[in-house]
Amino acid sequence: MSSDRALLQAMAELNANPEQAAAVVERGHCVVLAGPGSGKTKTLTTAMARVLAQDVVEPRGVACITYNNECAIELETRLVRLGVSSGDRAFIGTVHGFALSQVISPYVRCVPVGLPSEFRVATHLEVRAAVEVAYRNAIDDDDDPHRRWKFASEKRKRDVDRSRPEWWGHNPELATFIEAYEAELRRQGLLDFDDMPLLAYRMIKENPWIRDALRARFPVLFVDEYQDLGHALHELVLLLCFGGGIRLFAVGDADQSIYAFAGANPELLESLVRRADVRTIRLRFNYRSGGKIIRASLGALGEERDYRGVDGAHEGGLSFWHVPYGHDSQAQAIADTIIPKLVEQGFEPGQIAVLYRTAKLGDKVAVALKDANIPFVRTDTNALVKRSSRFARFIEDCARWATGGWRDADPPYVRLLSQAKTLVFGRHAREKEELDLSAQLMAFLHSSIGSAETTHEWLQRFSRELITPWRKVSRNTEQEWEICSQMITNTDPTRDLDLALAQFAGHVEGAGRVNLSTLHSAKGREFDAVIMYGVNASDFPSERDSRTPAGLREARRLFYVGVTRPKKHLSLIYQEHHHSPWVVELYQRSQRA
């Protein structure tokens, strides 16, 4: 299907929903408030494709900022179906990626920011060392520098514009600590992850011609999951869109703001909604979940919203499981009873998810499932594959190609080569560099076909034969080579962690494996059936949640995110006589007609 025809078909499909249709054709600043299952990704990608086809003349394009690389990959996949490829006319990536590739790297030679032209992103160990040096230089007492850095890091993310009074007026000691830390990084020609949007903001503000250059290239800025992206992104939006002439199209939902620990603040999205120069469009229909689950979700949130299901949609199922004891007992019940019952009802294991608050709880479920011989895949911090890492996805794609994907080009080799070029050289590779890279990659992949290697052995060879030579020639300032080392550690056969390469190569969402995920990692995803594990009075809310009204509200939103992940069935499991008080509200709301 041609790109024009695909776009027209996508726009026609949205005509049944007047809010989605209006958002796609809006030509002013627009904020789309999109609840769970409301089709926000389809709305966003269709709007991007329409703007590129009708509003922005080549070679100009659009930029789309997302929360993480996983979101970016999803958007890229959807846009390809509409004839749009991420490239010169469409930047799709995180706010850090935007800052690095579109502001810092192109203009660092032109403005005095203290970085050499051949700067590099600091490793974790380099960051820790710089914190310790800065603490000695700025404060020099007996406190733990890394404990104090947690507070300094929060201030750094929050107080983006250092010309404002609060930079020195609120915790000046932390401001001194931060500036000493950044000076130490600059001395070594380094910047860190949080540096990227902060430095980009200062470069644009102090050099209006950079803003003009960005507007010339990207007259429209799209932002996905606005409520998750924090103060640095918000300040960039104010600078570029409301002071720099770039049009804004933002999508978000304050009810799903669950990353306060990373600097997210739902008030930033709400402040856009209050602006007179922004059109706000609210998507009301939930295309994901059954009616009973939609009603239950409002009980989980504890507030009324004008969300509704689609006429003729199924009601969905809701079940409550109580066990005599705590987390271990609940994990055992999930393995022995709940998952087998869901499978008996016709749910595919790959479309069942167990959600929990912390990776430590995921360990308990993993043990129970392993003992019950139930295959699973984890997507929490103890996962083998870091979902948000493009490098980890590349490694997994190589494994899939080597274990049978080569037969039907799934994934195609050209995509693997493109991924490798980006990972090693960034945006551009010279002809000889590309030929050498291709020869190394193809030799490794062909030697993997039919191999009897386990995942651990294959990863070790991947490190020797690809990463070792690639590190020597890499020009990518944002390197993730340590990801492979972590995966090698996570498949250590002496700890009974190794697995067959074919199993490792399975699709994350499928291959008959039950999904284990923290609630935070599950955000943005959907499953046919969801089991919420550990819905106890001491977990929802926890004692820590209850210390502040803001903490309590965020915990409630986290609960809401979990309840809105299933399409067809939601199971909640908790200790008998010790369930969360929110379970009662959820149940009562679900029973309404």
Side-chain angles (χ1 to χ4, degrees):
M1 185 184 298
S2 71
S3 58
D4 290 343
R5 186 176 168 193
L7 173 59
L8 290 174
Q9 181 176 321
M11 292 179 68
E13 290 171 356
L14 296 182
N15 284 336
N17 184 316
E19 290 88 7
Q20 288 180 313
V24 165
V25 298
E26 176 58 39
R27 284 180 164 84
H29 294 313
C30 181
V31 171
V32 178
L33 299 179
S38 60
K40 66 99 175 170
T41 304
K42 185 172 185 178
T43 304
L44 176 63
T45 51
T46 305
M48 286 182 65
R50 189 205 65 76
V51 167
L52 283 168
Q54 300 177 2
D55 294 357
V56 177
V57 178
E58 290 190 68
R60 305 176 84 193
V62 301
C64 181
I65 293 176
T66 68
Y67 177 68
N68 58 28
N69 284 323
E70 184 184 345
C71 297
I73 292 167
E74 170 65 16
L75 290 177
E76 288 170 357
T77 302
R78 298 275 194 108
L79 284 165
V80 165
R81 300 172 195 158
L82 296 174
V84 177
S85 298
S86 180
D88 289 338
R89 291 199 71 210
F91 168 86
I92 304 168
T94 64
V95 64
H96 302 86
F98 178 82
L100 185 64
S101 66
Q102 307 302 317
V103 182
I104 300 172
S105 292
Y107 305 119
V108 71
R109 298 172 180 82
C110 308
V111 296
V113 294
L115 277 175
S117 57
E118 300 302 321
F119 69 90
R120 184 169 55 79
V121 179
T123 66
H124 175 68
L125 291 177
E126 288 169 333
V127 165
R128 288 184 63 85
V131 166
E132 291 164 7
V133 170
Y135 194 77
R136 287 197 302 271
N137 292 339
I139 299 175
D140 196 22
D141 61 20
D142 294 330
D143 201 353
D144 178 1
H146 300 290
R147 187 191 73 82
R148 292 292 296 277
W149 181 249
K150 290 178 182 178
F151 298 101
S153 181
E154 289 177 9
K155 176 178 175 64
R156 190 177 179 220
K157 293 174 184 175
R158 182 184 63 248
D159 297 341
V160 177
D161 188 345
R162 297 182 184 178
S163 67
R164 293 174 186 165
E166 54 264 31
W167 176 248
W168 288 108
H170 186 251
N171 286 331
E173 187 179 66
L174 292 182
T176 302
F177 185 12
I178 292 165
E179 295 196 352
Y181 164 76
E182 291 174 348
E184 176 60 21
L185 286 185
R186 301 297 181 269
R187 188 185 67 78
Q188 302 178 58
L190 302 173
L191 79 165
D192 72 2
F193 191 67
D194 291 334
D195 249 334
M196 296 174 191
L198 302 175
L199 187 59
Y201 172 82
R202 291 199 290 275
M203 290 173 66
I204 295 168
K205 185 177 182 184
E206 294 168 8
N207 302 274
W209 62 269
I210 296 179
R211 182 182 60 196
D212 296 341
L214 289 171
R215 183 179 67 243
R217 185 174 185 191
F218 302 124
V220 185
L221 174 65
F222 292 84
V223 183
D224 188 23
E225 303 286 10
Y226 197 98
Q227 76 284 347
D228 292 336
L229 286 160
H231 291 266
L233 180 278
H234 185 66
E235 293 289 349
L236 275 170
V237 164
L238 296 180
L239 191 61
L240 294 172
C241 300
F242 300 105
I246 294 176
R247 189 170 82 195
L248 174 67
F249 187 105
V251 180
D253 180 12
D255 291 336
Q256 297 185 74
S257 180
I258 58 173
Y259 295 105
F261 63 87
N265 181 352
E267 168 59 26
L268 302 178
L269 174 63
E270 291 164 356
S271 72
L272 289 184
V273 171
R274 292 193 293 267
R275 292 184 64 105
D277 53 353
V278 172
R279 181 182 181 186
T280 300
I281 297 174
R282 188 181 298 274
L283 304 185
R284 296 172 297 153
F285 291 97
N286 183 325
Y287 294 94
R288 175 189 299 157
S289 304
K292 182 175 284 191
I293 295 173
I294 295 172
R295 294 192 297 273
S297 72
L298 297 179
L301 183 62
E303 297 181 28
E304 289 299 321
R305 295 287 184 270
D306 184 24
Y307 294 143
R308 60 194 70 178
V310 182
D311 290 342
H314 59 89
E315 270 287 274
L318 191 61
S319 59
F320 301 84
W321 300 82
H322 56 83
V323 298
Y325 305 110
H327 293 123
D328 291 332
S329 179
Q330 293 164 44
Q332 201 63 49
I334 289 171
D336 294 345
T337 306
I338 302 178
I339 289 176
K341 189 172 183 63
L342 288 171
V343 172
E344 184 181 305
Q345 293 170 356
F347 290 100
E348 294 290 332
Q351 279 299 319
I352 298 172
V354 183
L355 308 183
Y356 37 83
R357 289 205 69 166
T358 67
K360 188 175 180 180
L361 291 179
D363 293 341
K364 294 179 181 294
V365 182
V367 168
L369 296 190
K370 192 170 185 178
D371 290 345
N373 291 317
I374 297 175
F376 62 87
V377 58
R378 296 183 69 166
T379 54
D380 55 31
T381 54
N382 289 342
L384 174 58
V385 176
K386 186 180 178 184
R387 288 178 61 87
S388 62
S389 165
R390 288 182 181 269
F391 190 40
R393 290 301 185 92
F394 170 67
I395 294 173
E396 191 178 48
D397 282 348
C398 286
R400 191 161 74 248
W401 191 96
T403 54
W406 55 272
R407 293 190 185 92
D408 49 7
D410 179 28
Y413 176 75
V414 67
R415 189 175 98 192
L416 295 178
L417 180 58
S418 176
Q419 288 174 302
K421 283 192 299 182
T422 300
L423 291 166
V424 179
F425 298 113
R427 293 179 62 84
H428 302 290
R430 303 180 187 96
E431 183 177 359
K432 185 176 187 313
E433 289 175 335
E434 183 174 341
L435 289 172
D436 290 344
L437 193 77
S438 180
Q440 291 164 341
L441 179 60
M442 183 57 76
F444 174 79
L445 291 174
H446 272 284
S447 66
S448 300
I449 296 174
S451 169
E453 294 169 305
T454 65
T455 299
H456 185 76
E457 294 165 339
W458 182 83
L459 288 169
Q460 287 180 314
R461 191 163 60 84
F462 186 103
S463 180
R464 287 194 308 272
E465 298 181 13
L466 295 184
I467 293 179
T468 296
W470 288 357
R471 289 185 79 152
K472 295 177 182 177
V473 298
S474 174
R475 290 195 304 275
N476 188 349
T477 55
E478 197 173 0
Q479 299 171 354
E480 295 184 296
W481 308 120
E482 72 279 1
I483 291 291
C484 188
S485 298
Q486 293 170 9
M487 295 168 79
I488 291 170
T489 300
N490 291 344
T491 55
D492 185 353
T494 65
R495 295 161 54 204
D496 195 26
L497 297 175
D498 205 358
L499 67 162
L501 185 60
Q503 184 180 353
F504 167 70
H507 295 282
V508 169
E509 300 292 350
R513 297 179 284 175
V514 173
N515 298 273
L516 306 188
S517 175
T518 60
L519 289 159
H520 284 97
S521 295
K523 186 171 175 294
R525 302 172 69 193
E526 59 183 31
F527 308 92
D528 286 346
V530 164
I531 303 164
M532 284 189 66
Y533 162 50
V535 192
N536 307 306
S538 55
D539 293 307
F540 289 98
S542 68
E543 181 183 352
R544 182 176 181 179
D545 297 330
S546 303
R547 291 175 186 169
T548 65
L552 195 59
R553 286 195 297 272
E554 173 140 331
R556 186 104 193 198
R557 293 195 294 266
L558 186 64
F559 185 59
Y560 172 69
V561 164
V563 170
T564 54
R565 296 309 94 198
K567 299 177 187 177
K568 299 176 181 178
H569 194 92
L570 172 66
S571 300
L572 298 101
I573 184 166
Y574 44 82
Q575 185 175 342
E576 191 174 13
H577 307 307
H578 190 61
H579 55 69
S580 165
W582 301 337
V583 170
V584 177
E585 294 180 57
L586 182 152
Y587 173 77
Q588 291 173 342
R589 191 67 172 77
S590 71
Q591 298 306 302
R592 296 184 189 178

